[in-house]
Amino acid sequence: MIKPRTPPGVMELLPRDQIAFQRMLDTIRRVYESFGFLPVETPVFELSEVLLTKTGGETERQVYFVQSTGALAQGAEGLPEMALRFDLTVPLARYVAEHEHALAFPFRRYQIQRVYRGERAQRGRFREFYQCDIDVIGKDTLGVRHDAEMPAVIHRVFSELGVGAFTIQLNNRKLLRGFFAGLGIADGERQALVLREIDKLDKRGAEAVAATLQAEPFALAADVVAKIMDFVQFRSRTQAEALAKLDQLAGEGSDADLAAGIAELREVLRMLQAQGVPESDYALNFAIARGLDYYTGTVYETILDDHPQVGSVCSGGRYDNLAGSYTKSKLPGVGISIGATRLFWQLREAGIIAAAESSVQVLVALMADEGVADALDIARRLRAAGLATEVQLEPRKLQKQFQYADKAGIPFVALQGEDEAARGVVRIKDLRTQEQFDVPREDPAPAIVARLQAEVTR
Amino acid sequence: MIKPRTPPGVMELLPRDQIAFQRMLDTIRRVYESFGFLPVETPVFELSEVLLTKTGGETERQVYFVQSTGALAQGAEGLPEMALRFDLTVPLARYVAEHEHALAFPFRRYQIQRVYRGERAQRGRFREFYQCDIDVIGKDTLGVRHDAEMPAVIHRVFSELGVGAFTIQLNNRKLLRGFFAGLGIADGERQALVLREIDKLDKRGAEAVAATLQAEPFALAADVVAKIMDFVQFRSRTQAEALAKLDQLAGEGSDADLAAGIAELREVLRMLQAQGVPESDYALNFAIARGLDYYTGTVYETILDDHPQVGSVCSGGRYDNLAGSYTKSKLPGVGISIGATRLFWQLREAGIIAAAESSVQVLVALMADEGVADALDIARRLRAAGLATEVQLEPRKLQKQFQYADKAGIPFVALQGEDEAARGVVRIKDLRTQEQFDVPREDPAPAIVARLQAEVTR
């Protein structure tokens, strides 16, 4: 006998949790599709040579390799032929480069699949997890308006997920670069080191970070550090505040990068308003830098206002060239990613989401063995009206059947006893309210459908 | 520069094909849920020790192993720690055994995920493919009525997929066993060898198979072979024919297995009728045996009447004990599986399904740069009504925008020129009919929604 268990670092759910998780994925997909993104799926494994074009990164050290039984038996030398994808961006780059001539640009794709990383095993860290990505890829150029569409999508997703108040935080890498250049910190590597310290603001506090920036090896002057601290701690609360801040920055410096970053952020803010995103739900935050060697323009992070400890639940940004490893075409893009597995796990830990009602909406109970044909026919009529219906196929104490439905989270039980059969009706019990009502035997669905719809719109 | 390409043996689709494939999976899922099956997802990899409890099977020789970068660097000895699942049945067994005390039995689950097999690379053979499974697992016992629900689900799935006429073929392993025992072929292994020859009926023809069975090593008497050939070539065309055949078999033999198999098939047939499955869509076929060492009662295969060369598109059956490797509990079950990747590929090859319309329903065109705020607002109103809407964010020749929508399979283009703006309307063009009509600027969705709904019900 082998002990049944999953490998460490995976999130496997019981059915009611799986239903809740599935609803989260369905919501994300529906919103992505509503904004006109097209579905793409790529294989779980890629050729190692194709996947690992860059070496040495943290992510690459976490790669899982895949070997066939045959290759393993031969003890083949060198890297195994295939590896599991560690994100959806490298597969997207490979996909776009491979199918370039068959795609229309700007190419708008969504992809909701699992990725694999050999993370250290610990609570809340996953080795297998869903990413839900959208990207818009241009050929040669891609206007900044596409950067402005991303926060509108994020806004719709998190509004529909119903996870409380959230703030989409915006920044721009060009603006960052220009700002630091204006303070005499022009070197990219030096900027990166300063930004790394700023990233510790939440953990260490402003004073400690300021002290570090004044000390070796940074040795920045006190007034420079004061300007930096002022800059990175700014958060706009309204559209007007955001625009005023950009005006102020434009007045203080003449750096070309700074000007470009300001212009891009202005356009993003203007388009957010045009798209009806409430100004309370987004903010400028100059402390956001994201993957320093990858993003080149707008960057995004999204925080849950009442649960800042969860960290960013949706991040992304603008990049200059998606697929330089695979094609000579220049493919600039902008995208965002939701790590759905971690998000679900954390929301559940925080008590924000609970196990869902069952995906089964009606249980047709069985009172006596000879009633099974009737029960099956009632179920057929309910299903035809779109109701997910389970039939009790073998007789069992009625009380047990109700207990089962209650525990499983099935809201309605339908039953037809002798009395109901004589009157040509089916009795429906709503287990949540304990209400009972009769529906016509030949047309049992409408009353249940109406109740469920009333709940959705309530 | 690395040549962008997928590993051999995977099905990667361009967006319009992916949309068609996604619709297939969505339909299967919707039907599975409508019958009250609950979603389960398991990790793509399992511990090798857990996955490979039996050794030597064909499937086990096709396993892909997974190794972390660290384990690979250490050159760890023995089997790698993890392996990719090769079906959804072993993970189900592990899942049910692991979570046994948290589940309600009979446990009804559906699972739609990819599985991995190191198949020989050739056209139409896949190393990564979707399986769409349902199973009902009982604790200690599970009534035969659950066997009768499977064909009802199959019937609904293939009706909704719209792939033409199909036949669900039914058989029963007990009936087979009893029938052969009645002919003096009582030994299980010998039965298996005979059934293997019968499996070649379609390829070799009846005469050749009959000749083989009369020759060594079978050396069956001519009258025995005649009875076998008569038996395995029977196909019922109606419910009455099926029941009459079972009556005839019951009259001819007294074997206990034969009687049990006949009784089970009778109940399945009776329940099929109760569930409203048309008798033209199922048939008895005694030549069907399926995985000889696994199934123990009812077995199913489904063929497309106009495309028999595709083979069975949905198969399964009853088994005595799901998880004997992991638990002492006896867990009988019944289930079916649709190999969706192969099915989609074959239906596309056969011209039965084509690339779908885009998942995008409306393109809001942009006639001049200053119109973008208006375009975004129109899109917002369309999305609020559930229409998947893409916005042309940067001005471009109108003709190009129409060409793009047409090529992408987007049915509607919305545009607002000066004239429309003055009149407070948006012009909608249906690219499939070339019809144009105006809708109110503030409420542009209803007319489009109505058109789409009319098409669905048409």
Side-chain angles (χ1 to χ4, degrees):
Chain A
M1 204 79 83
I2 306 280
K3 190 181 174 213
R5 62 204 193 282
T6 57
V10 304
M11 183 177 84
E12 182 170 89
L13 301 170
L14 287 170
R16 286 186 74 172
D17 284 322
Q18 181 65 38
I19 291 163
F21 183 59
Q22 196 59 53
R23 287 194 182 145
M24 173 183 276
L25 294 185
D26 287 344
T27 298
I28 294 169
R29 176 182 160 196
R30 192 177 62 245
V31 173
Y32 284 177
E33 287 188 351
S34 81
F35 276 84
F37 291 87
L38 301 174
V40 161
E41 287 195 342
T42 63
V44 76
F45 39 49
E46 297 275 349
L47 294 168
S48 300
E49 166 192 321
V50 171
L51 191 69
L52 306 171
T53 54
K54 295 162 192 163
T55 46
E58 170 71 12
T59 310
E60 276 77 5
R61 279 198 298 278
Q62 298 182 332
V63 161
Y64 284 110
F65 290 97
V66 175
Q67 274 184 299
S68 69
T69 304
L72 195 76
Q74 284 167 25
E77 279 175 36
L79 271 194
E81 198 195 1
M82 301 194 297
L84 299 182
R85 61 177 166 231
F86 51 81
D87 69 10
L88 301 179
T89 303
V90 178
L92 171 66
R94 194 267 307 146
Y95 181 96
V96 174
E98 182 173 349
H99 305 294
E100 193 175 331
H101 300 293
L103 300 175
F105 291 91
F107 175 56
R108 304 162 63 81
R109 88 83 174 80
Y110 79 85
Q111 188 169 358
I112 299 179
Q113 291 194 291
R114 289 163 160 186
V115 304
Y116 298 86
R117 292 185 196 170
E119 294 273 1
R120 208 152 54 82
Q122 74 186 73
R123 209 175 140 68
R125 285 252 178 201
F126 295 101
R127 293 175 174 179
E128 174 185 62
F129 56 97
Y130 271 96
Q131 286 197 334
C132 310
D133 284 19
I134 52 174
D135 287 86
V136 182
I137 310 298
K139 187 95 176 246
D140 300 320
T141 62
L142 184 74
V144 70
R145 282 176 188 169
H146 294 279
D147 298 29
E149 201 179 33
M150 294 291 147
V153 181
I154 298 173
H155 186 262
R156 197 73 242 133
V157 167
F158 284 89
S159 298
E160 299 219 355
L161 286 178
V163 292
F166 57 91
T167 305
I168 303 163
Q169 302 190 320
L170 306 166
N171 196 9
N172 186 294
R173 295 297 314 278
K174 287 176 197 159
L175 183 149
L176 273 188
R177 209 156 57 216
F179 172 81
F180 283 109
L183 293 179
I185 310 168
D187 178 64
E189 268 183 52
R190 201 143 171 252
Q191 288 183 3
L193 290 172
V194 171
L195 286 168
R196 192 181 299 165
E197 293 308 312
I198 287 163
D199 208 32
K200 299 173 188 167
L201 262 176
D202 287 344
K203 271 189 210 149
R204 299 187 62 209
E207 272 182 50
V209 170
T212 299
L213 292 179
Q214 281 185 259
E216 288 291 340
F218 298 102
L220 296 174
D223 66 321
V224 169
V225 171
K227 277 184 190 163
I228 292 175
M229 298 309 293
D230 186 53
F231 176 73
V232 299
Q233 291 185 281
F234 173 78
R235 305 284 182 280
S236 66
R237 281 164 305 180
T238 63
Q239 176 89 344
E241 260 187 33
L243 291 171
K245 184 71 183 181
L246 293 178
D247 287 346
Q248 181 206 322
L249 285 173
E252 286 172 4
S254 59
D255 184 276
D257 278 333
L258 182 73
I262 289 171
E264 288 179 8
L265 273 180
R266 274 199 188 118
E267 179 71 357
V268 169
L269 291 170
R270 191 168 80 89
M271 288 295 121
L272 277 177
Q273 205 163 37
Q275 292 172 99
V277 179
E279 59 186 341
S280 57
D281 295 351
Y282 57 88
L284 292 186
N285 177 352
F286 299 125
I288 291 172
R290 305 294 313 160
L292 291 164
D293 47 354
Y294 187 58
Y295 293 117
T296 52
T298 318
V299 284
Y300 320 94
E301 287 193 357
T302 310
I303 54 160
L304 302 178
D305 294 354
D306 301 328
H307 305 274
Q309 80 287 356
V310 169
S312 178
V313 294
C314 179
S315 312
R318 154 75 67 150
Y319 39 88
D320 272 346
N321 196 12
L322 174 70
S325 304
Y326 309 123
T327 174
K328 285 178 188 160
S329 302
K330 200 190 166 204
L331 301 170
V334 60
I336 54 168
S337 181
I338 301 173
T341 300
R342 188 166 163 272
L343 176 62
F344 179 83
W345 190 85
Q346 291 190 308
L347 292 175
R348 202 175 48 156
E349 290 284 300
I352 304 173
I353 46 172
E357 262 191 7
S358 178
S359 51
V360 182
Q361 295 167 302
V362 189
L363 173 72
V364 181
L366 185 63
M367 301 185 73
D369 199 44
E370 58 275 18
V372 68
D374 253 331
L376 288 170
D377 186 65
I378 292 165
R380 190 171 60 85
R381 290 166 195 270
L382 294 171
R383 286 179 193 132
L387 292 167
T389 305
E390 178 179 347
V391 180
Q392 178 71 32
L393 288 172
E394 295 169 283
R396 201 173 163 198
K397 272 193 187 159
L398 206 52
Q399 196 195 351
K400 292 253 180 204
Q401 299 183 44
F402 276 101
Q403 277 170 0
Y404 161 71
D406 197 47
K407 201 175 157 199
I410 301 172
F412 296 98
V413 174
L415 71 156
Q416 192 186 37
E418 280 178 33
D419 171 57
E420 286 85 12
R423 291 191 291 125
V425 299
V426 177
R427 169 140 297 202
I428 308 294
K429 183 165 181 182
D430 185 331
L431 292 187
R432 301 155 311 172
T433 63
Q434 302 302 315
E435 284 174 276
Q436 304 199 31
F437 52 99
D438 289 342
V439 296
R441 163 70 178 79
E442 301 305 308
D443 193 19
I448 302 173
V449 171
R451 273 191 173 233
L452 288 168
Q453 279 174 348
E455 281 161 32
V456 170
T457 51
R458 204 157 55 203
Chain B
M1 205 78 82
I2 306 281
K3 189 180 173 212
R5 63 204 191 281
T6 57
V10 304
M11 184 177 83
E12 183 171 85
L13 301 170
L14 288 170
R16 287 187 74 171
D17 284 322
Q18 181 65 37
I19 291 163
F21 183 59
Q22 195 61 52
R23 287 194 181 145
M24 173 182 277
L25 295 185
D26 287 345
T27 298
I28 295 170
R29 177 182 160 197
R30 192 177 63 244
V31 173
Y32 285 176
E33 288 189 350
S34 82
F35 276 83
F37 291 87
L38 301 174
V40 161
E41 286 195 342
T42 63
V44 79
F45 39 50
E46 298 275 349
L47 293 168
S48 300
E49 166 192 321
V50 171
L51 191 68
L52 305 171
T53 55
K54 295 163 192 161
T55 47
E58 170 70 13
T59 310
E60 276 77 5
R61 280 198 298 277
Q62 298 182 333
V63 161
Y64 285 109
F65 290 97
V66 175
Q67 276 184 298
S68 68
T69 303
L72 195 77
Q74 284 166 26
E77 278 175 37
L79 272 193
E81 197 194 3
M82 301 194 296
L84 298 182
R85 59 173 168 235
F86 51 81
D87 68 11
L88 302 179
T89 303
V90 178
L92 172 66
R94 195 267 308 145
Y95 181 95
V96 174
E98 182 173 349
H99 305 294
E100 194 176 331
H101 300 292
L103 301 174
F105 292 90
F107 175 55
R108 305 161 62 83
R109 87 86 173 78
Y110 77 86
Q111 187 169 357
I112 298 178
Q113 291 194 290
R114 289 164 161 187
V115 304
Y116 298 86
R117 292 186 196 170
E119 294 273 2
R120 207 154 54 81
Q122 74 186 74
R123 208 174 142 68
R125 285 254 177 199
F126 295 101
R127 294 175 173 180
E128 175 186 59
F129 56 98
Y130 271 95
Q131 285 196 333
C132 311
D133 284 20
I134 52 174
D135 286 86
V136 183
I137 310 299
K139 186 96 173 246
D140 300 319
T141 63
L142 184 74
V144 70
R145 282 176 188 165
H146 295 279
D147 298 28
E149 200 179 35
M150 294 291 146
V153 181
I154 298 173
H155 187 261
R156 197 73 244 134
V157 167
F158 284 90
S159 298
E160 298 217 354
L161 287 178
V163 293
F166 58 91
T167 306
I168 304 163
Q169 303 190 320
L170 305 167
N171 196 9
N172 187 293
R173 295 296 315 277
K174 287 175 198 160
L175 183 148
L176 272 188
R177 210 156 56 216
F179 173 81
F180 283 108
L183 293 179
I185 310 167
D187 177 65
E189 269 183 52
R190 199 142 172 253
Q191 289 184 1
L193 289 173
V194 172
L195 286 168
R196 192 182 298 165
E197 292 308 312
I198 287 164
D199 209 34
K200 299 174 188 165
L201 263 176
D202 287 344
K203 271 189 212 150
R204 299 187 61 208
E207 271 182 53
V209 170
T212 299
L213 292 179
Q214 283 186 256
E216 289 290 343
F218 298 101
L220 295 173
D223 67 322
V224 169
V225 171
K227 278 183 188 164
I228 292 175
M229 297 310 292
D230 186 52
F231 177 74
V232 299
Q233 291 186 277
F234 173 77
R235 306 284 181 278
S236 65
R237 280 164 306 179
T238 63
Q239 175 89 343
E241 260 186 32
L243 291 172
K245 185 70 181 182
L246 294 178
D247 287 346
Q248 181 206 324
L249 286 173
E252 286 172 3
S254 59
D255 184 275
D257 278 333
L258 182 72
I262 289 170
E264 288 179 8
L265 273 180
R266 275 201 187 116
E267 179 71 358
V268 168
L269 291 169
R270 191 168 77 91
M271 289 293 122
L272 278 176
Q273 203 163 37
Q275 292 171 100
V277 179
E279 58 186 341
S280 58
D281 294 351
Y282 58 88
L284 292 186
N285 177 353
F286 300 124
I288 290 172
R290 306 295 314 162
L292 292 165
D293 47 353
Y294 186 59
Y295 293 115
T296 53
T298 318
V299 285
Y300 321 94
E301 287 193 356
T302 311
I303 54 160
L304 303 179
D305 294 354
D306 301 330
H307 305 275
Q309 78 288 356
V310 168
S312 178
V313 293
C314 178
S315 312
R318 154 75 67 149
Y319 39 88
D320 272 347
N321 196 12
L322 174 71
S325 304
Y326 309 123
T327 172
K328 285 177 188 159
S329 301
K330 199 190 166 204
L331 301 170
V334 60
I336 54 167
S337 180
I338 301 173
T341 300
R342 186 166 163 273
L343 176 61
F344 180 83
W345 190 85
Q346 290 191 309
L347 292 175
R348 202 176 48 158
E349 290 284 302
I352 304 173
I353 47 173
E357 260 191 7
S358 178
S359 51
V360 182
Q361 296 166 303
V362 189
L363 174 72
V364 181
L366 185 64
M367 302 185 72
D369 200 44
E370 57 275 19
V372 68
D374 253 331
L376 288 169
D377 186 66
I378 291 165
R380 189 168 62 84
R381 290 166 194 270
L382 294 171
R383 286 178 193 132
L387 292 167
T389 304
E390 177 178 347
V391 180
Q392 177 71 31
L393 288 171
E394 295 169 284
R396 201 172 161 196
K397 270 194 187 159
L398 206 50
Q399 196 195 352
K400 292 251 179 206
Q401 298 182 45
F402 276 102
Q403 278 170 358
Y404 161 72
D406 197 46
K407 201 176 158 200
I410 301 172
F412 296 98
V413 174
L415 70 156
Q416 191 187 35
E418 278 179 34
D419 171 57
E420 286 85 13
R423 291 189 294 125
V425 299
V426 177
R427 169 140 297 204
I428 309 293
K429 182 163 183 185
D430 185 332
L431 291 189
R432 300 155 313 170
T433 62
Q434 303 301 315
E435 283 174 275
Q436 303 199 34
F437 52 98
D438 289 343
V439 295
R441 164 70 177 78
E442 302 304 308
D443 193 19
I448 302 173
V449 171
R451 275 192 171 233
L452 289 168
Q453 278 173 349
E455 282 160 32
V456 171
T457 52
R458 204 158 54 205

